[in-house]
Amino acid sequence: MQIQDLPYPDPGVPDARSGPRFLWWLGRNQLGGQFKALAWGLLHFVAVSAQPFCVGLAVEAVVDRSGTRLALTGGLMVLCGAATAVGDTFLHRAAVTNWITAAARVQQLLARKASQLGSALTRRVAAGEVVSVSTGDVEKIGWFVEAVSRFTAAALTVLVVCVGLVVYQPALGVVVAVGLPVVAFAALPLLPPATRRADLQREKAGRATELASDTVAGLRVLRGIGGEDLFLDRYRSASQEVRHAAVRSARMWSLISAVQVLLPGLLLITVVCYGVHLAREGRISVGELVTVYSSVMVLAYPLRHFEEIAMAYSFSRPSARRAARVLSLERVTDERVTDIGGSRAAETPSGDLYDPATGLLAPAARLTAVVCGDPDAAGRLAERLGGHPPEDSPSVLLGGVPLNELPLDSARTAVLVQDKDPVLLSGSLRELLDVPASGGVDTGTALAAAQCGDVLDALVQGSLDADDPLDARLTERGRSLSGGQRQRLALARSLITDPEVLVLDEPTSAVDSHTEARIAEGLREVRAGRTTVVFTSSPLLLDRADRVVLVHEGEAVAVGAHRELLRREPRYRAVVTRETEEEAGLDELGALDGLEELEVIEREEIEETA
């Protein structure tokens, strides 16, 4: 795989049982790139390590006054220099390719997992952790995968040089062969504490990232309630903790680096002192002493890769563990399902939508409104209806077919869930509305039903070079728009998709009552003949629903029309009218008078809207 061939047609199925297993899986899937980097690394390191032997031969040729041998040695040095340059160039190219392709594979795996789980992902893993894994962690994982081949080449080179020195000059070669393993592995006792400090730093950095992500996402609200300074102080404190942890980690790694400098220096001094002693006794020549000395000097270069692989592993291990945790999450499926995609054929069922866990029934081709007193419970129920039930809960049935037995594409074609905080990606409005659709609802109809006229005008005014509203640009997450404008654009996007079942979670919570009434009428008209479920407590939407279901403490406890439930169901009335306990204790006559007054107000709003 080359960089220009990215993305992968299929990134594969990862081994996400643990961080080390995931790293091993990544390495096995890049064997071609690993062997290529290993080959170029061996060429580079061996060529570099051969230079001292050439220098020793040249010194001996000068001592022996042999011009022929000196010329041959010079040619050999030129050849080694060329091999060093070529090997270094292509090693760097192969290493960068391995790094980027490994990181890209992880990013593709994370993106695929996010698309499979949808909104369920952030309910099971913190959003900040997902961001941390898909940005900084993928780079560290790619670093380790890339560094393995260079470390292997360096280790093989050290082994070859040690054997060569023992054969070339046994007296000094044995000293080097014994000393190099000590130098290479002396830092091993320091790695566990260094790794623990690095893990602590990563953990604190992840928490700071989560806090920053949450703060930025809620910045508008924080400014509105005056809490911006409080959260900034919290982030400042978290960032200082990260700094302290980073300093402690850096101290340990600086100690390891110092050991990697000190011990080779001591080995070099030992070799020189012992070599001079042997040379004075005439047991070795000056050229042999220069060769061994130069070899020890040059070996400091491949030995640095021992430190690098230790750092790469210690930094990538927690990153791989976090990535494996995200990638190990699975779509909740029935026990009869044999694979992640589902066991049934790729079909789009139709019929009534039924949730066995709560008893909620949404008849086909009708508009059903669901009232929950707990907004979080409403969000979890909407997620269930979209085919993402908890692990200990049965699947929702569509036309009698469990959604979790369907392939993921078929399940999402059948049921579309729009949560209460829909995401608008940056780009043009045309790109935002370019979604998979049945073709039954055109863009103009959807925008009109969602009452997006003022939104289109605002987008045109804010774009200097866009005459067509569909060419107007949206900022990231639609931050230049109000909450109500974002909700209406998201609703229009959902209407264009025109799924068999559309589930809307508080689609008009940030919209004024007059616009909300018009949206309710437009929603009924566009979704005629289709199944629609709306989670809301708005009387304007509830009054236009064909069927209203009250879900209380995880169970559907009442079903009927909006006005009927207002009269006969106190729990429903408490949620919809925001009735207090004191008001709930009024006699039945007073309650009915209040309901009649509410009906008059609603009727006036409807007439004013019309």
Side-chain angles (χ1 to χ4, degrees), residues 393-553:
S393 181
S395 172
V396 172
L397 306 178
L398 178 59
V401 178
L403 286 180
N404 63 4
E405 289 189 12
L406 292 174
L408 188 60
D409 292 342
S410 298
R412 288 186 171 170
T413 301
V415 182
L416 173 66
V417 179
Q418 177 184 305
D419 61 24
K420 65 183 66 178
D421 187 21
V423 175
L424 304 182
L425 300 178
S426 60
S428 68
L429 182 57
R430 190 184 308 277
E431 294 170 340
L432 176 70
L433 302 179
D434 184 16
V435 293
S438 67
V441 180
D442 59 69
T443 302
T445 301
L447 290 171
Q451 300 299 310
C452 294
D454 63 317
V455 183
L456 299 180
D457 294 338
L459 288 174
V460 170
Q461 293 176 1
S463 302
L464 300 177
D465 55 348
D467 297 329
D468 188 343
L470 293 180
D471 295 327
R473 305 292 297 180
L474 294 172
T475 57
E476 182 183 1
R477 298 182 65 91
R479 297 189 189 279
S480 59
L481 302 175
S482 67
Q485 290 174 327
R486 290 196 297 271
Q487 279 188 335
R488 283 177 280 165
L489 283 181
L491 177 59
R493 180 177 59 186
S494 299
L495 293 177
I496 291 173
T497 302
D498 191 31
E500 181 69 26
V501 179
L502 176 61
V503 180
L504 303 172
D505 187 6
E506 294 289 354
T508 58
S509 59
V511 177
D512 63 84
S513 59
H514 299 290
T515 304
E516 189 176 28
R518 292 192 293 269
I519 289 176
E521 291 297 334
L523 182 62
R524 283 187 59 90
E525 180 179 351
V526 172
R527 293 292 298 172
R530 293 287 202 179
T531 307
T532 308
V533 181
V534 181
F535 288 83
T536 183
S537 59
S538 167
L540 293 174
L541 283 175
L542 295 171
D543 195 49
R544 288 159 178 78
D546 298 317
R547 171 187 175 94
V548 179
V549 180
L550 172 65
V551 177
H552 180 68
E553 295 183 354

Side-chain angles (χ1 to χ4, degrees), residues 1-3 5-12 25-26 29-30 97-109 112:
M1 172 64 70
Q2 298 297 319
I3 295 176
D5 298 326
L6 294 174
Y8 287 94
D10 180 12
W25 177 84
L26 281 175
N29 278 268
Q30 292 193 204
T97 299
N98 288 339
W99 189 337
I100 293 178
T101 52
R105 186 188 295 272
V106 178
Q107 285 183 323
Q108 279 188 247
L109 290 170
R112 185 176 68 182

Side-chain angles (χ1 to χ4, degrees), residues 351-355 358-364 368 370 397 533 547 549 556 559:
D352 297 344
L353 184 68
Y354 176 67
D355 178 22
T358 60
L360 172 64
L361 174 66
T368 301
V370 181
L397 306 178
V533 181
R547 171 187 175 94
V549 180
V559 180

Side-chain angles (χ1 to χ4, degrees), residues 210-372:
E210 293 178 21
L211 180 60
S213 177
D214 294 340
T215 302
V216 172
L219 193 57
R220 186 189 297 270
V221 176
L222 290 175
R223 287 175 175 171
I225 64 176
E228 183 180 4
D229 291 339
L230 174 62
F231 273 79
L232 287 178
D233 289 340
R234 289 182 180 178
Y235 180 73
R236 186 178 294 109
S237 176
S239 65
Q240 289 301 312
E241 291 182 6
V242 175
R243 183 180 68 84
H244 290 308
V247 170
R248 294 185 70 247
S249 178
R251 287 173 179 169
M252 184 59 68
W253 287 110
S254 64
L255 177 60
I256 293 176
S257 298
V259 170
Q260 293 294 317
V261 173
L262 175 63
L263 293 184
L266 293 178
L267 176 61
L268 185 63
I269 293 173
T270 302
V271 169
V272 170
C273 293
Y274 185 55
V276 169
H277 173 70
L278 295 177
R280 291 177 61 184
E281 292 181 351
R283 297 169 57 184
I284 64 172
S285 65
V286 176
E288 290 175 335
L289 175 59
V290 171
T291 298
V292 177
Y293 167 79
S294 303
S295 297
V296 176
M297 285 285 294
V298 171
L299 282 178
Y301 172 49
L303 282 175
R304 286 204 298 268
H305 291 77
F306 285 74
E307 176 190 353
E308 182 185 2
I309 195 65
M311 292 183 64
Y313 180 72
S314 65
F315 278 82
S316 65
R317 188 172 60 86
S319 298
R321 184 174 62 246
R322 285 193 291 266
R325 179 190 174 197
V326 175
L327 295 175
S328 64
L329 299 176
E330 298 290 353
R331 176 190 174 204
V332 178
T333 57
D334 191 86
E335 293 180 356
R336 294 166 293 176
V337 179
T338 57
D339 57 20
I340 192 172
S343 60
R344 291 180 177 264
E347 58 182 7
T348 303
S350 60
D352 297 344
L353 184 68
Y354 176 67
D355 178 22
T358 60
L360 172 64
L361 174 66
R366 300 183 67 183
L367 174 59
T368 301
V370 181
V371 175
C372 286

